[in-house]
Amino acid sequence: MIPIFEYFPALQKRLPYIKLGQFPTAVKKLDRSGRLIGLDRLYMKDDAVSGQHYGGSKIRKLEFLLGKGPACGADEVMTFG
């Protein structure tokens, strides 16, 4: 279950959803980059590993858009971003 449905259980019945990604994604420590800008601790969330063949935060959006398509009777879904 994704966090939004844990915090707001009623939404799970109202928001069609298809799991596409592998979440939560990793958080990486960037030692070298941190030192270059004078920070002891610099971290980055790595959404590039959220899917085997794809990645990025777009997957989170598509999980809801592609969930809604079949729920509305659509055979095709077109999205832009």
Side-chain angles (χ1 to χ4, degrees):
M1 180 181 301
I2 61 173
I4 193 168
F5 294 150
E6 289 177 21
Y7 291 108
F8 304 101
L11 285 179
Q12 192 165 9
K13 294 177 184 173
R14 299 184 66 204
L15 290 176
Y17 171 81
I18 294 175
K19 181 177 171 45
L20 298 173
Q22 299 162 357
F23 301 105
T25 52
V27 175
K28 296 182 177 181
K29 187 172 184 194
L30 305 176
D31 289 319
R32 185 171 175 224
S33 297
R35 281 193 303 271
L36 288 172
I37 60 173
L39 296 174
D40 294 332
R41 295 176 300 229
L42 179 63
Y43 295 88
M44 177 183 73
K45 187 167 108 68
D46 189 1
D47 267 347
V49 296
S50 61
Q52 184 177 3
H53 302 291
Y54 42 77
S57 60
K58 293 174 200 78
I59 296 306
R60 296 177 198 274
K61 171 186 170 183
L62 287 174
E63 288 180 323
F64 289 97
L65 290 176
L66 296 179
K68 186 175 181 179
C72 294
D75 295 325
E76 298 176 11
V77 175
M78 186 183 317
T79 180
F80 300 89

